[in-house]
């Protein structure tokens, strides 16, 4: 007797579950607006990180110039 074929079922991720709930609760326009807002938050965080890194470089250059003279 042969064993039944094994079928691989992937478990839904948290992201998939949240998107399913979102699709039930929000209209398409609201989903788009929420995703656009989140994209803007992520972009703001990236720009803030870039500003901090640039500030560190400028401070290092200024310190190097003051110690070299």
């Amino acid at each position: 007797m042969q064993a039944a074929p094994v079928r691989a079922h992937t478990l839904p991720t948290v992201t998939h579950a949240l998107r399913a709930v979102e699709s039930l609760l929000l209209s398409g326009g609201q989903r788009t607006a929420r995703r656009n807002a989140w994209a803007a938050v992520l972009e703001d965080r990236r720009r803030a990180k870039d500003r901090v890194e640039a500030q560190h470089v400028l401070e290092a250059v200024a310190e190097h110039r003051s110690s070299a003279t």
Side-chain angles (χ1 to χ4, degrees):
M1 176 173 219
Q2 287 185 328
V6 177
R7 295 184 184 173
H9 293 284
T10 59
L11 295 174
T13 64
V14 173
T15 302
H16 288 111
L18 290 175
R19 287 209 173 142
V21 170
E22 174 189 64
S23 68
L24 291 172
L25 298 177
L26 301 177
S27 70
Q30 288 173 321
R31 279 195 308 269
T32 300
R34 188 196 56 78
R35 288 182 183 155
N36 287 345
W38 183 244
V41 167
L42 295 177
E43 182 63 20
D44 287 346
R45 288 178 181 176
R46 187 195 61 78
R47 282 195 303 264
K49 180 181 172 191
D50 289 347
R51 279 194 304 272
V52 168
E53 289 174 0
Q55 183 65 34
H56 287 225
V57 169
L58 291 172
E59 289 170 356
V61 168
E63 185 178 313
H64 178 70
R65 282 188 172 181
S66 66
S67 66
T69 58

